[in-house]
Amino acid sequence: MSEPRKRMVKDESRGNILRNHSWSNGPDSEDEQAGENELLNECSVSPSHHRSTITDQPICNMSLFTEEKMRRKLKFFFMNPIEKWQAKRRFPYKFIVQVIKILLVTIQLCLFAHNNYIHVNYTWDNRIAFSHLFLRGWDSSLEVPVYPPVTGPLAIYKRDDFYNTIDYALDGYYNVSNAVGSYSYIAENNSVGPVILCLYQYKEGIIFGFNESYVFDKEIIETCINITDKTYTESSKSKLLLFKQNIKVNFSALVRAHLMFALKTVNLKAAGPMTPPDCYQFNIKINFDNRDFDGQMLLSLDAEPKRLQCKGDTRYVTDNRIESALRTLLNLFVILICTVSLILCSRAIYRAQLLKFETMNFFKKAYGKILSLEGRLEFLNLWYVMIIVNDLLIIMGSAIKEQIERKQFGSDHWNICSIFLGTGNLLVWFGVLRYLGFFKTYNVVILTLKKAAPKVARFLICAILIYAGFTFCGWLILGPYHMKFRSLATTSECLFALINGDDMFATFSATSFSKSPMLWWYSRMYLYTFISLYIYVVLSLFISVIMDAYDTIKIYYRDGFPKNDLQTFIAACTDEASSGLYKDDSEDSDLSEFIDRFCCCRKRPFYGSFSESSTKFSTKSEQTCGGAICI
């Protein structure tokens, strides 16, 4: 045998060997060396073992070549953007797109957050002003929620107070010009608009308390009237006005009542160098809530804002157009970059699935085994899935934001837009962890969370079951006597706060069991048991689960990470990214691939070399050219 031939056989003997469904890099013992030499002799030396060495020798060479090529292809697929640039000078398009997207989305969110704060704060301040103008008995102590509350709810307790509250609101509406705020009526000529009063009463509701009897029909009848300035001036009192309209208020059957009207105003505070003032219409509703029939009718005021197209000073017309054009341009850039990111990540996931099926086919034909589930899951990049989700959220949020800025949506869409943009931006910044994961120091956190996730999920299932039991028990027993346990939601919030050590003494002290010592002792046992169990046991176990995963990751960094069959197969490839071998394996560009398909050619991987019969390989009828088979 010639010297070059001996060198080639020696190099081929360094290939990876599949033993018991695992790969090793070269022979490890004399028996393995002898087995490999026997395999090489069968492939290339002894003609007595095969019918034709001319046919079998290319098959053996082709198998080793295809195996190494597949390893390099898979190793290149799992490289980070920097390694891919070193291997094939492939420009990191997705990385650059994500960086640009982070900048644009963050700028967009900051601008929208500023506008949203101005909008919400302005509407809240106007709601407080309307409460002082139109709600009888409103006090400044009710403006800011205080915990624990120092005052009771705003309510009326006498029938005359019901009519007096309506009169107070109507007087404030008809004399709105006395208000400090610049409020106007909704008519174009600023004429006083009508006020709508709606009463919701049971069809029959008569109570005879002296002999414990009643007459009741649960059907609710709605009665609405328009109160104009003229009719109110003639009657001077709402009670007389309702009497003239033949409307009788049966307080034993009155469920609720609404008094509704609207006002317009302009927010000059929003004006800036390029931002014009905002025009609003407030739809005001005063609610009389008597659904509990407990002797107190609760009072509240709602003011729903609606943005309008302003017809303001001509000095702001040009500025308004500039500001609108810049914001529209930013929204379009965000939608465009998110669309590009969505397409690139979807394309990457699609190509990963194609490579997965190709790898599964390779394992099946080359080694007669199926790729494991862990190996198949390696091709599903959840980072790309998260990026696709945040792209969709940001695109929808940007579209809604553009409609809001064009004054086409009302206040409810501000909240929807905030949810879309806020959640999308949250996931965008989460996506930065993917690139930090390429560095060992930062990757520890991600690997620890990934390792601990299954155990944490199982642990939380058990903890949630115990938590649900305490929640339902506390709601039932302590709900009527403790303000923190009035509803199922507040009970859960109270228990969660106790887990974190918040407001413990107030929870113990804010109980009213003066007439039931048994409930007092039970509440103490209930709270002590829950706090001790969750703070000293459940939370400690939860932390230990995380720490156990962290210790495991540190051991993996020291002794090596466990590998599945796919990772073991790829690990045999020791070619560096800068070796230049990956450039030789570069596939055709998308343009050349399109031309090949257009010319009736399709790609076919070299899996025919693993056929059991060498005759099929030597008698192929297809004409091959550069890896493409013309059909």
Side-chain angles (χ1 to χ4, degrees), residues 244-260:
K244 290 182 179 181
Q245 297 284 342
N246 294 324
I247 297 176
K248 181 180 180 181
V249 180
N250 183 7
F251 288 93
S252 299
L254 181 62
V255 179
R256 62 184 184 275
H258 296 153
L259 188 66
M260 297 172 287

Side-chain angles (χ1 to χ4, degrees), residues 590-603:
D590 295 339
L591 180 60
S592 60
E593 183 179 356
F594 173 76
I595 295 175
D596 290 339
R597 291 180 180 273
F598 184 76
C599 297
C600 300
C601 292
R602 60 184 175 86
K603 295 287 183 180

Side-chain angles (χ1 to χ4, degrees), residues 154-157 162 251 254 288-290 294-299:
L154 180 62
I156 55 179
Y157 300 90
F162 174 78
F251 288 93
L254 181 62
F288 300 82
D289 188 2
N290 193 39
D294 54 359
Q296 63 175 0
M297 184 180 295
L298 301 180
L299 277 178

